[in-house]
Amino acid sequence: MAKPKYTSHVGMVDILPDESPKWRALENIIHQEAAKFNFEEIRTPIMEQTELIVRGIGQLTDIVSKEIFAFKKGDSHYVLRPELTAPVVRSYVEHHLDQRGGSQKLYYIGPMFRAEKPQKGRQRQFHQFGVEVIGSDDPVADVETIAFMIRIYQRIGIQNFELKLNSVGDPESREAYKDALREYLKPNLTKMSEVSQKRFEKNPMRILDSKEPEDQEYIKEAPVIQDYLNEESAEHFAKVTAYLDDLGINYTLDPYLVRGMDYYTRTAFELTSPDLGSQDALAGGGRYDLLVEEVGGQPTPAVGFAAGMERLLIACEELDIKLAEDKSVDVYFVTLGDAARTFALSHLPKIREAGISATMDYMSRSMKAQMKDANRENANYTIIIGDNELNEGKFTLRNMKESEENSLTFKEIIAKLG
Ligand code: HAM
């Protein structure tokens, strides 16, 4: 086939009609489970102010320094949202959602944009679902967030995952840990990667997340944050793990788990799957107790996670999990002649009104071609209409699966199928 003149951008993928049913099925599961958790949906714009994202996620992060799609129009700096935590917090502050009372338990589903090198499980436009619980520092909020995340995979039948858990501490603990980390890394700093050298002063913890080969031997032996948590952070983390134990949620403690954004404090976690290959993170999240204040609100603790939907669907494929039924339509009108076509067209609304999905030929094809099309559309029934049927007021209802036929009035057909 000739190469089309226009194609979608690299890493930006069309969800075609054969794919959309499983997306809808997944979205339905997320909405249903969110309702069970009493989470409320929030939808924010696709574009945000660049300054919000830079501030929220952190200047030195990969996302901000390399991956954002940003442009200027007039005096405004726009960015395609690379994630939704900072935008949801922006919305929370802008619309004073704290005034609704209690903690805000918000969830979302939508597209995100990061200019990463595309590969399996990594796109430039991808989709996340996630939760942001804003206004609580109770470990219950951390654990409910994690429980919701896991519930989605469990409901779908994805069991084979690992929950990695860490505490990245509160500011006081982090300062103590950063000092210890700098002291440990300093003697070998010149042998480490350029990015790590850059991160050394401002954010040495991000060095622990380095994938550069030359950094690995130093990271391996680095001090662990658990030894530097102050009493409050340690206690909070102990409660999170105790509640997870109570719920029977398995986890692995990973003292070097730091996440890709600067806003995290205390609890941090990631869900990985061996069914995904190199892009093995299904989901990730944690606490961000300073972000609300950072973007102009009152000091407000918060916790959340986001999950990659493409990666979830890849895992389903690997595990042969089918989220949606094959497409089908209840009824296909097969017509012979103009009068029959007119009858079919005028009776489509009536049959649909009865809750039955129905279609007809849009291409004036022969009866044989219409029957073939009904099979292609996976119609459960055909209603065959010609002049005789119109005269008699009785139509042939053919059960396509059982190859069985009945002659019925239109009313009888609706009663039988409705
Ligand atoms: P994140 O770890 O950057 O966290 O992204 C969450 C998930 O989104 C990843 O685990 C992965 O499944 C998916 N993902 C990320 N980038 C891509 C990509 N380029 N292509 C396909 N999937 C991708 C966040 O976004 C935080 N906002 C999570 C959070 C919410 N933390 C607190 N609240």
Side-chain angles (χ1 to χ4, degrees):
M1 265 187 274
K3 198 172 182 299
K5 188 167 174 191
Y6 301 110
T7 59
S8 65
H9 280 296
V10 169
M12 300 198 173
V13 176
D14 296 315
I15 297 173
L16 297 172
D18 284 344
E19 305 277 308
S20 54
K22 69 182 179 199
W23 279 88
R24 222 169 31 230
L26 173 56
E27 287 159 10
N28 286 340
I29 289 171
I30 296 161
H31 290 305
Q32 285 164 8
E33 293 302 320
K36 289 184 200 162
F37 275 69
N38 194 29
F39 292 160
E40 294 177 284
E41 189 182 10
I42 183 161
R43 302 185 189 200
T44 60
I46 300 291
M47 288 198 247
E48 292 285 345
Q49 289 187 25
T50 308
E51 173 64 19
L52 167 79
I53 298 298
V54 173
R55 239 189 128 150
I57 297 177
Q59 184 94 51
L60 295 181
T61 58
D62 282 350
I63 294 182
V64 168
S65 62
K66 295 190 237 161
E67 296 167 5
I68 47 174
F69 288 100
F71 64 94
K72 189 171 177 236
K73 194 153 178 68
D75 288 334
S76 300
H77 293 267
Y78 293 84
V79 65
L80 290 173
R81 60 193 198 185
E83 58 108 52
L84 262 184
T85 309
V88 168
V89 167
R90 189 266 310 140
S91 180
Y92 173 93
V93 172
E94 181 177 346
H95 301 290
H96 308 285
L97 294 188
D98 57 319
Q99 288 176 9
R100 299 174 82 221
S103 53
Q104 301 305 306
K105 298 180 274 184
L106 308 170
Y107 80 98
Y108 50 79
I109 301 176
M112 312 294 153
F113 303 84
R114 296 183 194 175
E116 294 188 85
K117 199 162 172 236
Q119 64 178 88
K120 188 175 176 193
R122 194 163 76 192
Q123 294 177 188
R124 292 186 162 184
Q125 176 172 343
F126 60 100
H127 297 78
Q128 287 184 341
F129 67 92
V131 160
E132 311 296 346
V133 177
I134 308 178
S136 164
D137 77 347
D138 192 320
V140 165
D142 306 46
V143 170
E144 276 273 282
T145 301
I146 292 172
F148 175 78
M149 173 179 81
I150 284 179
R151 171 70 195 138
I152 300 292
Y153 297 94
Q154 280 175 338
R155 167 147 171 206
I156 287 168
I158 300 172
Q159 309 278 4
N160 195 10
F161 50 70
E162 186 183 14
L163 174 63
K164 292 183 184 155
L165 190 67
N166 192 21
S167 172
V168 295
D170 62 4
E172 188 187 82
S173 313
R174 283 154 79 97
E175 282 319 308
Y177 179 55
K178 280 185 198 170
D179 285 346
L181 208 51
R182 281 196 205 94
E183 201 165 305
Y184 162 81
L185 292 170
K186 199 162 190 174
N188 294 308
L189 191 61
T190 50
K191 295 182 221 146
M192 297 184 74
S193 68
E194 210 174 300
V195 246
S196 292
Q197 293 187 30
K198 250 196 211 155
R199 286 170 171 162
F200 179 79
E201 273 312 324
K202 277 210 167 139
N203 198 349
M205 282 173 72
R206 301 244 349 106
I207 296 178
L208 300 175
D209 202 26
S210 163
K211 301 284 175 285
E212 307 296 328
E214 64 266 44
D215 294 343
Q216 298 311 312
E217 65 175 295
Y218 306 112
I219 295 172
K220 220 169 47 199
E221 308 274 310
V224 295
I225 188 155
Q226 273 63 38
D227 295 336
Y228 298 86
L229 293 182
N230 60 17
E231 211 180 313
E232 230 183 317
S233 288
E235 225 168 73
H236 191 274
F237 194 51
K239 277 201 179 140
V240 170
T241 54
Y243 287 154
L244 287 173
D245 293 339
D246 284 347
L247 285 178
I249 296 176
N250 295 327
Y251 55 86
T252 312
L253 293 177
D254 179 352
Y256 298 128
L257 175 72
V258 284
R259 305 247 319 118
M261 294 86 172
D262 284 352
Y263 50 60
Y264 289 108
T265 52
R266 301 201 273 187
T267 316
F269 54 86
E270 221 156 67
L271 198 69
T272 57
S273 161
D275 300 313
L276 283 180
S278 69
Q279 298 304 308
D280 68 347
L282 279 171
R287 246 185 199 287
Y288 46 95
D289 293 335
L290 306 174
L291 185 60
V292 179
E293 201 179 354
E294 181 74 31
V295 305
Q298 296 299 315
T300 309
V303 61
F305 83 92
M309 294 170 75
E310 282 80 5
R311 292 187 192 179
L312 186 154
L313 293 174
I314 291 172
C316 286
E317 234 155 71
E318 296 292 330
L319 298 167
D320 252 330
I321 295 171
K322 223 170 145 183
L323 283 177
E325 299 291 314
D326 289 334
K327 78 164 193 156
S328 69
V329 61
D330 295 327
V331 168
Y332 192 115
F333 283 95
V334 173
T335 60
L336 182 66
D338 274 351
R341 267 178 84 70
T342 308
F343 179 90
L345 180 62
S346 63
H347 282 70
L348 278 171
K350 294 178 187 147
I351 200 160
R352 290 173 184 150
E353 185 75 19
I356 301 162
S357 62
T359 189
M360 66 181 282
D361 163 59
Y362 290 0
M363 296 167 79
S364 297
R365 283 176 286 195
S366 70
M367 266 184 111
K368 195 172 156 206
Q370 290 178 50
M371 283 308 279
K372 213 170 142 192
D373 196 42
N375 270 319
R376 193 188 56 79
E377 295 280 1
N378 200 14
N380 294 321
Y381 290 90
T382 46
I383 298 175
I384 300 161
I385 312 169
D387 288 342
N388 285 345
E389 284 81 359
L390 286 178
N391 287 338
E392 280 171 29
K394 280 196 158 187
F395 309 93
T396 306
L397 177 71
R398 181 179 172 81
N399 182 326
M400 300 292 279
K401 307 282 146 60
E402 324 255 309
S403 300
E404 209 180 71
E405 292 188 355
N406 278 301
S407 183
L408 300 170
T409 64
F410 195 71
K411 237 180 163 174
E412 286 166 342
I413 289 176
I414 289 189
K416 186 175 159 78
L417 303 185

